[in-house]
Amino acid sequence: MTMNRALLLSVSLILLSSSVFALETENPVSLEMNEKSTINILSNGDARVNEQISFTTSAFNLFKQQYPNLNTYARIFKPENQPIQIEDLDVDVDEFNNEIIASYTVKGVAVNNGDSLWGVAVAPVGQKVTLSAETAESLVFTYTDFAAGYNKIITTTINAPIGAYNLAFNKESNVMSYQLDYFEDTGLGNFYFLIFGLLLLVASVVNFKLKY
Amino acid sequence: MIHKIDLRNIVSGFLVLLALFCFLIFAFLPSEPMGEGKLSYEMLTPEHIVSATYKIYSNEKLGQWVAKTIISNTGDRPLYNVKPQYNVAGYSDWSETQTYPMLLPGSTVVDLYYPILSSDLTNLTSPTPSKINVKFTYSKNKDGEEKELTGSKSVSILGVHDFIFSSIPPEESTGSFYDVASNYPLLAAWATPSDPVIMKFADAGNALAGGTAARLSDEDAIRSLEGMWTLSVANDIAYKTEPEAFWTGKFSQFIKYPRDVLKEKSGTCIDTALFFASLALSQGLDAYVILMPGHAFPVVRLPESGNIVIIESTQLNEHASFQTALEVGEQVFNNAMQGPNILVDIKSLQIAGITPPQLETLPENVFEQWNVKDTLTQTHSTSGGQSNTDGASDIVGENMRVYQNANPEWAITYPSDWVIHHAVEGEVLVQSPDTKSEFLVSWEPNETKENMRTYVEAALSTVGYVQSTSVSQENISNYYNGVVVTYNFQAFTGETGKGVGKYFEAGNYGFAFLYDTLNPNTQTAMNELEDIAVTFVVGA
């Protein structure tokens, strides 16, 4: 499960939980949400995410009913059993435009499969996602979720880390892969010889100028 | 002089040569990496493991992990083949989890633990401390020596009846009902429609209703529900408050499984709601529980129309008729809809994986052991709840039978192939073989005839449209002043019929004596009913 999918699922579940019975017994309420997110994967596999969720007015009103105290809405990004680990969360609500804007870091989004090959689970296996655009550095996915009572349109741009190459997406496994070379820090081991050599040179000059 | 110069030159020359040697090493000798990888981790665990829902923890789709471990390499060099494994001390084996081939310096992986927990958890009756153990194996070099790091974290495993309404930390809770009851999906684990004990009881209740196939029609569903209700009333299931499971340290409740309600013949609103919903589900009906602040009640969706039947299950305590439970249920439902409420869709949640725990296998004669009635007149029986001789005696002539009720005293003579259904305490139904015609005798202590009429007409209105066509006075059993109402009736199934209701007071009881028919040959059927009705006598 990707961080994006998990987030959307959380939002939708919470929004709909209060209206489940209404959905069961009355005409379905149609809630519309539009989400745009940019996921910048860092060289260590973490990701910095910027997310913008736009609601229709009715959906936003329902959201506000659910969270009369808007200070608590941030928890929808960090539900207790969230499978991902989010840090540095910053959430703002734009009431004028019916939007939630969030940025956060997700730990360990990309997993190193050995050597220089990395993998990112974009969506659960079997889930349909559409790769709508592709460049050497990024992939753009669109995803629509039409369920009883709500419609979601999600556009997610995933940017590979700087220096990554061979960016690819496997439709079967829903895994995005890329290569990013790792240069091991050789440390200062040999550098000490350079310093020592320079010191010896200085010593030889000093010695030459000494008056015996 | 020469000697001095030579010495200085020799020393300086030696130093220069040494310096050159160092430069050569710097330039051409491969450098060994410095430092080493360092594994560090933070393991997050839930505060409690809920025993009743122990099965859900192994289902990754439900996302109820028991440990989320953030594993980082805080060292200078990569770590290789990092493999975390977990167990819940005493209740699961060591897990087989993913191996991470390479963890670079500064990198993190997030690993989740979904344990397959032992059903031994269901033996716990109170919170029990346990530990979630974690063990990492890894190497600091690609083919280097395997190292191990272990740790653990305490967790409390709740008793099998303990339900915590919410796991949202207080600082994050809005205080709304939805937050306070956010764990409501887990309640589905307390509904046990496939428990053999519940199935047997539901079948017995259904048999009381004539053995209808509840899923075939709305009418059959209502009959089946009424039969199960009647049998529950006959078993004196009472409303009783339970401890609030304060031992969990949370807003919580001790919740009985439906079989416990049957065994102990008592339950809270939520216990009886789950009990009745389980009975309905076992008959193939879609049943739900609605939660509202401070209360819970079951709702059943009818198979044909999709209409819902709302049952106030705490009315069991009042020995109320099924109709009364419906009337009160409707009022409660209307109240619930005025405020926050949550629908627990048991079937969907169980399909999603929130299934009941493995309960103890009970012996065949468990009803006998628990003194559970599966018919209205026998303490223990293996037969169904309907009978054409039950409570009847004295065959009168070749094809007639007398039913005599002891307290209050009344009797009726009816064709021996008609079937008696003991509806609830204070109610007897005598039904024709084709189920189109029936007599109902209902009595209630200290009740007026006007109220008896109201009850009966309300009950009739749950299965169709009732129109009273005439109201008159009549002496019942030549003694009791009664109100006689004639009805035209149209069932929701489209069938039409007629009926007569006689309402009177005798001794300390209010009586309703109703006979009606949906037989297409209405007049013939009514004539037959009138012939039987004249045999109805009240008093010694």
Side-chain angles (χ1 to χ4, degrees):
Chain A
M1 180 177 287
T2 68
M3 79 294 317
N4 195 38
R5 174 67 183 139
L7 280 174
L8 289 167
L9 204 60
S10 302
V11 171
S12 64
L13 286 176
I14 290 165
L15 283 173
L16 292 173
S17 62
S18 63
S19 58
V20 169
F21 191 74
L23 296 174
E24 291 282 350
T25 57
E26 297 170 4
N27 292 328
V29 179
S30 182
L31 305 180
E32 292 189 6
M33 287 175 263
N34 196 331
E35 172 168 337
K36 289 178 183 170
S37 59
T38 305
I39 302 171
N40 297 311
I41 299 177
L42 309 177
S43 60
N44 67 352
D46 294 350
R48 187 67 192 162
V49 181
N50 296 304
E51 197 156 1
Q52 181 182 13
I53 307 169
S54 306
F55 296 81
T56 58
T57 304
S58 58
F60 196 65
N61 287 338
L62 181 60
F63 173 81
K64 286 195 293 186
Q65 280 175 21
Q66 187 78 54
Y67 298 95
N69 176 2
L70 290 182
N71 289 328
T72 57
Y73 62 71
R75 75 146 198 259
I76 66 174
F77 292 89
K78 297 175 75 173
E80 195 180 0
N81 63 350
Q82 181 74 283
I84 58 175
Q85 182 64 15
I86 288 178
E87 294 181 355
D88 305 325
L89 175 66
D90 183 25
V91 186
D92 285 313
V93 171
D94 182 349
E95 295 216 37
F96 186 75
N97 293 309
N98 298 339
E99 283 181 353
I100 299 174
I101 299 159
S103 62
Y104 48 88
T105 300
V106 186
K107 304 295 286 182
V109 166
V111 175
N112 190 316
N113 295 318
D115 298 327
S116 58
L117 185 64
W118 294 74
V120 177
V122 173
V125 177
Q127 184 176 305
K128 276 197 171 181
V129 291
T130 304
L131 179 60
S132 52
E134 185 175 6
T135 69
E137 297 86 22
S138 63
L139 304 177
V140 180
F141 296 93
T142 53
Y143 172 74
T144 51
D145 189 5
F146 298 107
Y150 66 92
N151 304 331
K152 286 188 297 185
I153 301 170
I154 302 138
T155 307
T156 301
T157 304
I158 305 181
N159 295 319
I162 296 167
Y165 57 98
N166 286 345
L167 184 65
F169 178 65
N170 184 324
K171 287 180 183 174
E172 301 299 318
S173 61
N174 280 341
V175 169
M176 169 184 136
S177 62
Y178 61 86
Q179 285 185 282
L180 182 65
D181 293 330
Y182 170 66
F183 299 102
E184 211 167 16
D185 184 1
T186 54
L188 297 173
N190 289 0
F191 193 68
Y192 291 139
F193 283 96
L194 176 64
I195 295 169
F196 190 56
L198 288 172
L199 288 173
L200 289 172
L201 272 182
V202 172
S204 70
V205 172
V206 172
N207 176 67
F208 188 75
K209 291 187 174 178
L210 276 178
K211 292 181 179 178
Y212 285 79
Chain B
M1 179 74 181
I2 293 170
H3 176 75
K4 282 182 182 176
I5 292 170
D6 285 344
L7 183 60
R8 192 168 49 191
N9 286 344
I10 288 168
V11 171
S12 291
F14 177 73
L15 290 174
V16 168
L17 283 174
L18 209 54
L20 283 173
F21 181 69
C22 288
F23 294 151
L24 285 172
I25 290 176
F26 170 73
F28 297 107
L29 194 70
S31 172
E32 276 300 311
M34 299 284 287
E36 60 179 15
K38 186 180 178 189
L39 189 74
S40 62
Y41 74 95
E42 180 188 7
M43 184 164 67
L44 307 177
T45 59
E47 197 172 345
H48 301 99
I49 291 176
V50 182
S51 294
T53 58
Y54 72 93
K55 291 179 184 174
I56 69 169
Y57 294 105
S58 61
N59 188 339
E60 291 189 26
K61 285 182 182 173
L62 294 175
Q64 294 289 325
W65 44 262
V66 162
K68 176 164 83 170
T69 312
I70 300 120
I71 309 163
S72 301
N73 181 354
T74 54
D76 303 314
R77 296 192 60 203
L79 294 169
Y80 298 91
N81 299 322
V82 178
K83 184 179 180 183
Q85 286 184 287
Y86 310 84
N87 78 356
V88 178
Y91 296 103
S92 76
D93 296 328
W94 282 101
S95 64
E96 288 295 331
T97 53
Q98 190 174 352
T99 298
Y100 301 97
M102 193 175 187
L103 189 59
L104 295 179
S107 284
T108 297
V109 290
V110 178
D111 193 69
L112 301 170
Y113 174 40
Y114 296 102
I116 298 173
L117 292 168
S118 162
S119 61
D120 290 349
L121 283 169
T122 59
N123 296 327
L124 299 178
T125 55
S126 61
T128 303
S130 183
K131 281 188 172 182
I132 296 170
N133 297 313
V134 62
K135 177 173 69 180
F136 299 95
T137 54
Y138 63 98
S139 302
K140 292 190 174 181
N141 297 302
K142 234 174 189 175
D143 302 310
E145 178 193 359
E146 193 174 80
K147 295 191 175 297
E148 190 172 299
L149 178 67
T150 59
S152 65
K153 198 163 179 183
S154 296
V155 68
S156 173
I157 303 178
L158 297 183
V160 72
H161 291 282
D162 297 339
F163 174 72
I164 292 177
F165 281 88
S166 176
S167 301
I168 298 173
E171 65 274 15
E172 292 183 12
S173 175
T174 61
S176 71
F177 180 63
Y178 308 107
D179 277 6
V180 170
S182 64
N183 284 343
Y184 76 89
L186 302 186
L187 279 174
W190 270 267
T192 58
S194 59
D195 182 350
V197 178
I198 293 304
M199 291 172 76
K200 185 179 176 184
F201 189 80
D203 288 345
N206 190 48
L208 276 184
T212 59
R215 288 183 64 182
L216 290 184
S217 70
D218 289 1
E219 192 181 22
D220 286 334
I222 289 172
R223 279 184 189 281
S224 177
L225 291 170
E226 183 166 7
M228 293 185 285
W229 176 269
T230 303
L231 195 58
S232 303
V233 169
N235 275 282
D236 295 324
I237 292 172
Y239 174 70
K240 181 184 166 190
T241 57
E242 295 292 343
E244 289 183 349
F246 54 84
W247 46 84
T248 63
K250 297 276 184 179
F251 173 46
S252 54
Q253 189 163 331
F254 179 97
I255 297 183
K256 289 178 178 177
Y257 294 94
R259 58 163 57 180
D260 301 323
V261 172
L262 207 51
K263 180 184 178 185
E264 296 164 21
K265 300 188 176 57
S266 67
T268 61
C269 60
I270 200 163
D271 295 340
T272 54
L274 288 162
F275 168 71
F276 208 77
S278 298
L279 293 178
L281 283 161
S282 79
Q283 294 301 306
L285 299 170
D286 289 342
Y288 312 82
V289 170
I290 293 181
L291 304 177
M292 60 188 285
H295 193 47
F297 54 94
V299 169
V300 179
R301 188 184 291 279
L302 296 176
E304 279 183 319
S305 62
N307 292 336
I308 56 172
V309 173
I310 306 137
I311 304 148
E312 178 46 73
S313 54
T314 61
Q315 284 291 307
L316 286 170
N317 194 52
E318 310 298 326
H319 284 204
S321 68
F322 185 60
Q323 285 70 28
T324 302
L326 298 185
E327 288 164 16
V328 178
E330 194 164 333
Q331 292 167 15
V332 174
F333 177 80
N334 290 334
N335 289 338
M337 293 303 109
Q338 301 302 313
N341 60 79
I342 293 172
L343 181 89
V344 184
D345 183 348
I346 295 166
K347 194 172 167 183
S348 298
L349 291 166
Q350 291 198 345
I351 288 171
I354 304 177
T355 52
Q358 187 64 41
L359 298 173
E360 180 191 359
T361 303
L362 297 170
E364 277 292 313
N365 66 342
V366 65
F367 279 11
E368 192 176 338
Q369 290 179 10
W370 291 354
N371 199 26
V372 171
K373 299 174 186 173
D374 58 5
T375 67
L376 293 180
T377 54
Q378 296 173 17
T379 304
H380 324 295
S381 171
T382 52
S383 64
Q386 78 171 43
S387 169
N388 62 352
T389 59
D390 189 15
S393 61
D394 299 335
I395 295 175
V396 182
E398 205 169 297
N399 298 313
M400 301 301 283
R401 198 175 289 275
V402 175
Y403 181 90
Q404 289 182 300
N405 195 71
N407 185 26
E409 288 182 300
W410 62 265
I412 192 169
T413 303
Y414 65 97
S416 54
D417 58 347
W418 285 41
V419 177
I420 288 179
H421 302 280
H422 292 269
V424 293
E425 183 73 25
E427 198 169 299
V428 169
L429 185 72
V430 187
Q431 204 168 38
S432 65
D434 63 2
T435 72
K436 298 293 184 188
S437 301
E438 63 186 7
F439 283 91
L440 172 75
V441 184
S442 178
W443 62 95
E444 190 74 32
N446 304 315
E447 195 54 275
T448 63
K449 56 188 173 188
E450 289 80 13
N451 282 345
M452 294 304 293
R453 178 184 172 186
T454 303
Y455 297 151
V456 167
E457 290 179 355
L460 289 172
S461 66
T462 63
V463 288
Y465 303 104
V466 186
Q467 181 190 18
S468 60
T469 53
S470 70
V471 179
S472 59
Q473 304 286 322
E474 182 183 302
N475 280 341
I476 310 295
S477 290
N478 298 319
Y479 187 75
Y480 305 106
N481 180 27
V483 176
V484 178
V485 185
T486 59
Y487 300 107
N488 282 339
F489 187 75
Q490 182 175 13
F492 293 136
T493 56
E495 295 171 293
T496 57
K498 289 183 180 298
V500 175
K502 299 183 177 183
Y503 309 99
F504 59 98
E505 292 154 26
N508 295 324
Y509 292 91
F511 270 89
F513 176 58
L514 173 79
Y515 50 95
D516 60 76
T517 184
L518 291 175
N519 192 317
N521 204 344
T522 309
Q523 196 51 53
T524 304
M526 281 303 289
N527 290 343
E528 187 182 14
L529 288 170
E530 295 286 358
D531 288 343
I532 298 168
V534 296
T535 71
F536 175 68
V537 290
V538 179

